[in-house]
C-alpha cells in the first residue's frame, strides 16, 4: 500500500511467494523417436528441502536423505514410497555432509563431530557412533578400504590397511 512499512497481513501474503517449491523429485531422461531427450517425472516426495540439505544417496534401490535434526528418510528409488524414517543418534544434530556408502554400510558425518556408521537397507540400524572431536562439514571420501574425513581443523584417515 506504499505507506513505507510492511504490515503483518502484507508480510503473510508475500513470504510464501519468496520460497521456491521444495521437494525431492526423481526424473527419467527419455529419448523420443526424433532422438530428442526430455525429462519425465517419475515421483515426487513432498517434504521441505529448504536450507542445508546434503545430497541424497542411492544404494540398492533405496534413496537415503539426511536432514538437520538427524532425520534419515529412506525411500524406494522406484516409487518414492517411504520405507523408513528415523533419527540417527540419540540427539538432534545438523548435517552438511552427504551420506556415503561402502560394503553395505552408510557413513554420516554431522556438524557436532560424530561419524555414524549404519547397516544399509530397508531396516537400517546404527552400528557405531564415532566421536571425532571436532565439527564435520565436508562429505567423507572413500579410497582403498579407507575413509578420509576432513574435520574443522584436522584430516583423519581410518582403515584396516
Amino acid at each position: 500500500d506504499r505507506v513505507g512499512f510492511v504490515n503483518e497481513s502484507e508480510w503473510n501474503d508475500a513470504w510464501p511467494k519468496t520460497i521456491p517449491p521444495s521437494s525431492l523429485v526423481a526424473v527419467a531422461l527419455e529419448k523420443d523417436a526424433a532422438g530428442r531427450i526430455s525429462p519425465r517425472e517419475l515421483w515426487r516426495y513432498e517434504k521441505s528441502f529448504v536450507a542445508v540439505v546434503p545430497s541424497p544417496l542411492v544404494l540398492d534401490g533405496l534413496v537415503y536423505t539426511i536432514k538437520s535434526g538427524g532425520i534419515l528418510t529412506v525411500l524406494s528409488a522406484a516409487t518414492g514410497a517411504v520405507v523408513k524414517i528415523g533419527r540417527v543418534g540419540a540427539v538432534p544434530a545438523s548435517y552438511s555432509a552427504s551420506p556415503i556408502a561402502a560394503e553395505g554400510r552408510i557413513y554420516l558425518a554431522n556438524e557436532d563431530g560424530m561419524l555414524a556408521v549404519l547397516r544399509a537397507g530397508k531396516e537400517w540400524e546404527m552400528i557405531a557412533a564415532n566421536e571425532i572431536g571436532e565439527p564435520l562439514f565436508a562429505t567423507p571420501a572413500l579410497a582403498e578400504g579407507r575413509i578420509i574425513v576432513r574435520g574443522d581443523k584436522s584430516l583423519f584417515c581410518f582403515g584396516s590397511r
Side-chain angles (χ1 to χ4, degrees), residues 76-106:
S76 163
T79 66
V82 175
V83 174
K84 182 177 178 177
I85 298 175
R87 184 178 309 280
V88 174
V91 296
S94 295
Y95 286 78
S96 296
S98 299
I100 59 170
E103 299 178 5
R105 295 186 184 103
I106 297 173

Side-chain angles (χ1 to χ4, degrees), residues 30-100:
E30 298 178 338
K31 190 182 289 189
D32 64 17
R36 293 182 299 255
I37 297 175
S38 60
R40 179 177 60 86
E41 184 175 311
L42 299 174
W43 52 261
R44 179 179 296 262
Y45 181 60
E46 295 285 352
K47 291 291 180 183
S48 175
F49 286 89
V50 175
V52 176
V53 179
S55 299
L57 169 70
V58 178
L59 177 67
D60 297 331
L62 299 172
V63 179
Y64 298 82
T65 65
I66 186 79
K67 293 173 64 174
S68 282
I71 303 299
L72 180 67
T73 302
V74 180
L75 308 168
S76 163
T79 66
V82 175
V83 174
K84 182 177 178 177
I85 298 175
R87 184 178 309 280
V88 174
V91 296
S94 295
Y95 286 78
S96 296
S98 299
I100 59 170

